[in-house]
């Protein structure tokens, strides 16, 4: 409940994050790093102000952290940097931090670390991995697809969807009725809404009691998350490509560029061009300034001199190539 602005710059926070990044060859995005710093602020304050507090953790958290090298390293770094001598306190703080990171989806789904973590929790046969297996199977049945069509990135999306209500209690945040109605009416096709409705009904009738209880308790949350997941899956099946446009131009110039791109790409691929927003998924980010990287490391194409004809032709070639190759397997350096 502490506002993000309450976290103060602290060299130990940065050292803790840097130590994890160096060990796992992984880089936390800005939001994830801020959440880690916020948690450490809460953790240190708790150690300084509370002499006796309840250090029992839900079995789900302990189950997820056992035999897990990611958790072990987080614990070792915490003990090394903060000089914590109380083993019980270290165990509590690092397991709670670990649950927060897992439950709030801060890990990039394409990173090698995430693949390693997925192998660990599946090998450990945790309750969450068992629920995820049922979750995946129900979605494949509802969408009438083969398991091999449901790639790792979608399993990770379902893991993120399921982990939050599994690890945390209380009412999850959800859209206001006005916003939910807007998205249902203007963003998600009727067919996808119908598919998600069928999936929700299947989940509510699942023979897996734990999964059924979680879905019944958080139906609105699951409906929102599954709309996003299924919409993304359907888009990938039709080779729908999302382009983020981030030039430092006036609105009229932005509209001109979008119109020109649509002209050059007409009939080649189903594309959507929108203003670039950090944190959103794009297949290609188009920019006219020195954008060194995007938050999710999407391929970048830089315009030159207000976008010459050569630029449009190059972008057309890139989009056509990307539309023929499964999303996520193309690396472009532009």
């Amino acid at each position: 409940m502490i506002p993000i602005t309450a976290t103060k710059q602290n060299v130990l926070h940065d050292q803790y994050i840097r130590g994890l990044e160096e060990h796992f060859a992984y880089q936390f995005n800005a939001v994830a790093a801020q959440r880690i710093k916020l948690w450490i602020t809460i953790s240190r304050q708790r150690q300084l102000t509370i002499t006796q507090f309840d250090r029992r953790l839900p079995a789900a958290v302990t189950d997820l952290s056992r035999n897990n090298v990611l958790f072990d390293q987080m614990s070792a770094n915490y003990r090394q940097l903060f000089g914590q001598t109380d083993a019980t306190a270290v165990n509590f703080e690092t397991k709670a931090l670990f649950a927060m990171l897992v439950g709030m989806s801060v890990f990039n789904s394409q990173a090698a670390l995430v693949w390693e973590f997925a192998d660990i929790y599946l090998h450990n046969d945790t309750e969450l991995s068992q629920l995820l297996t049922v979750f995946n199977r129900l979605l494949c049945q509802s969408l009438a697809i083969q398991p091999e069509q449901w790639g790792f990135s979608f399993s990770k999306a379902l893991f993120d969807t399921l982990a939050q209500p599994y690890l945390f209690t209380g009412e999850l945040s959800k859209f206001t009725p006005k916003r939910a109605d807007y998205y249902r009416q203007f963003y998600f096709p009727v067919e996808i809404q119908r598919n998600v409705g069928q999936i929700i009904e299947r989940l509510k009738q699942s023979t897996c009691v734990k999964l059924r209880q979680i879905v019944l308790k958080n139906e609105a949350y699951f409906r929102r998350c599954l709309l996003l997941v299924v919409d993304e899956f359907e888009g990938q099946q039709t080779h729908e490509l999302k382009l983020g446009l981030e030039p430092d131009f006036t609105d009229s110039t932005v509209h001109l560029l979008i119109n020109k791109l649509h002209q050059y790409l007409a009939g080649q691929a189903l594309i959507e061009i929108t203003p670039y927003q950090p944190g959103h998924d794009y297949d290609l980010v188009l920019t006219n300034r020195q954008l060194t990287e995007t938050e999710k490391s999407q391929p970048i194409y830089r315009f030159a001199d207000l976008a010459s004809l050569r630029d449009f032709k190059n972008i057309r070639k890139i989009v056509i190539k990307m539309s023929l190759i499964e999303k996520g397997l193309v690396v472009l350096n532009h």
Side-chain angles (χ1 to χ4, degrees):
M1 299 298 293
I2 297 178
I4 286 181
T5 53
T7 58
K8 297 179 180 179
Q9 188 68 23
N10 188 311
V11 67
L12 291 181
H13 293 175
D14 295 328
Q15 288 179 3
Y16 182 74
I17 294 170
R18 187 162 58 249
L20 292 179
E21 290 180 335
E22 290 175 354
H23 183 85
F24 292 109
Y26 177 87
Q27 185 173 11
F28 292 103
N29 63 33
V31 174
Q34 187 62 39
R35 284 176 173 164
I36 294 174
K37 292 178 181 180
L38 179 59
W39 184 265
I40 292 174
T41 300
I42 296 170
S43 171
R44 300 302 296 155
Q45 186 70 12
R46 179 164 42 230
Q47 300 304 316
L48 293 172
T49 58
I50 304 177
T51 55
Q52 294 291 331
F53 60 91
D54 187 355
R55 291 172 174 169
R56 293 171 297 176
L57 286 165
V61 175
T62 302
D63 190 32
L64 204 59
S65 58
R66 70 179 162 85
N67 298 329
N68 194 308
V69 293
L70 175 58
F71 165 73
D72 293 340
Q73 189 62 36
M74 291 174 68
S75 181
N77 284 22
Y78 187 96
R79 189 180 297 107
Q80 178 183 0
L81 276 180
F82 299 103
Q84 186 63 258
T85 56
D86 186 341
T88 305
V90 171
N91 182 64
F92 174 86
E93 298 297 347
T94 51
K95 282 185 178 178
L97 171 59
F98 184 65
M100 185 271 286
L101 293 178
V102 171
M104 302 192 91
S105 317
V106 299
F107 296 119
N108 186 306
S109 61
Q110 300 301 321
L113 173 63
V114 178
W115 286 79
E116 182 181 5
F117 174 61
D119 289 340
I120 291 169
Y121 80 76
L122 286 172
H123 179 266
N124 288 346
D125 194 28
T126 63
E127 183 180 45
L128 182 55
S129 69
Q130 295 170 15
L131 294 177
L132 184 63
T133 299
V134 178
F135 203 8
N136 273 308
R137 186 172 63 247
L138 281 171
L139 253 77
C140 287
Q141 291 173 352
S142 298
L143 297 173
I145 60 175
Q146 297 301 314
E148 56 267 23
Q149 293 177 264
W150 192 254
F152 175 80
S153 61
F154 292 109
S155 291
K156 176 59 167 60
L158 290 190
F159 176 84
D160 291 340
T161 298
L162 190 57
Q164 190 172 355
Y166 175 77
L167 289 169
F168 301 129
T169 58
E171 184 179 357
L172 297 172
S173 62
K174 50 183 177 285
F175 284 154
T176 62
K178 186 176 181 179
R179 286 184 65 192
D181 288 341
Y182 172 84
Y183 274 93
R184 276 196 293 268
Q185 183 176 356
F186 297 107
Y187 189 81
F188 299 110
V190 174
E191 183 180 355
I192 288 179
Q193 294 183 45
R194 183 169 58 249
N195 286 342
V196 168
Q198 293 171 351
I199 292 169
I200 292 292
E201 290 307 311
R202 281 177 175 261
L203 290 168
K204 287 161 62 175
Q205 297 171 19
S206 171
T207 56
C208 179
V209 177
K210 179 80 172 184
L211 180 61
R212 187 171 68 240
Q213 290 174 341
I214 291 176
V215 174
L216 285 169
K217 185 178 179 182
N218 301 283
E219 182 175 345
Y221 162 81
F222 275 96
R223 189 177 299 276
R224 181 189 70 188
C225 291
L226 289 175
L227 278 170
L228 295 169
V229 173
V230 174
D231 180 63
E232 174 70 11
F233 176 76
E234 296 288 351
Q236 288 199 20
Q237 298 311 295
T238 57
H239 302 295
E240 180 180 4
L241 300 173
K242 296 182 179 179
L243 276 60
L245 183 62
E246 200 211 22
D248 190 15
F249 299 140
T250 62
D251 289 343
S252 59
T253 308
V254 170
H255 290 307
L256 176 64
L257 291 173
I258 290 177
N259 290 336
K260 282 291 184 184
L261 285 170
H262 274 297
Q263 288 178 23
Y264 278 98
L265 295 168
Q268 302 294 329
L270 185 60
I271 63 167
E272 177 186 352
I273 304 174
T274 57
Y276 170 71
Q277 298 181 43
H280 290 224
D281 278 318
Y282 297 95
D283 298 282
L284 185 66
V285 174
L286 309 173
T287 178
N288 198 46
R289 56 195 180 91
Q290 199 64 26
L291 188 65
T292 56
E293 63 180 10
T294 64
E295 189 170 342
K296 294 195 175 183
S297 301
Q298 290 104 344
I300 301 172
Y301 187 91
R302 292 191 180 88
F303 286 126
D305 300 324
L306 264 177
S308 64
L309 181 61
R310 179 184 61 82
D311 285 316
F312 287 119
K313 289 181 176 178
N314 286 342
I315 293 167
R316 177 177 174 273
K317 290 178 182 178
I318 295 170
V319 170
I320 292 172
K321 180 179 179 181
M322 293 177 73
S323 69
L324 299 176
I325 301 175
E326 183 178 355
K327 183 181 177 183
L329 299 181
V330 175
V331 177
L332 297 170
N333 296 314
H334 288 274

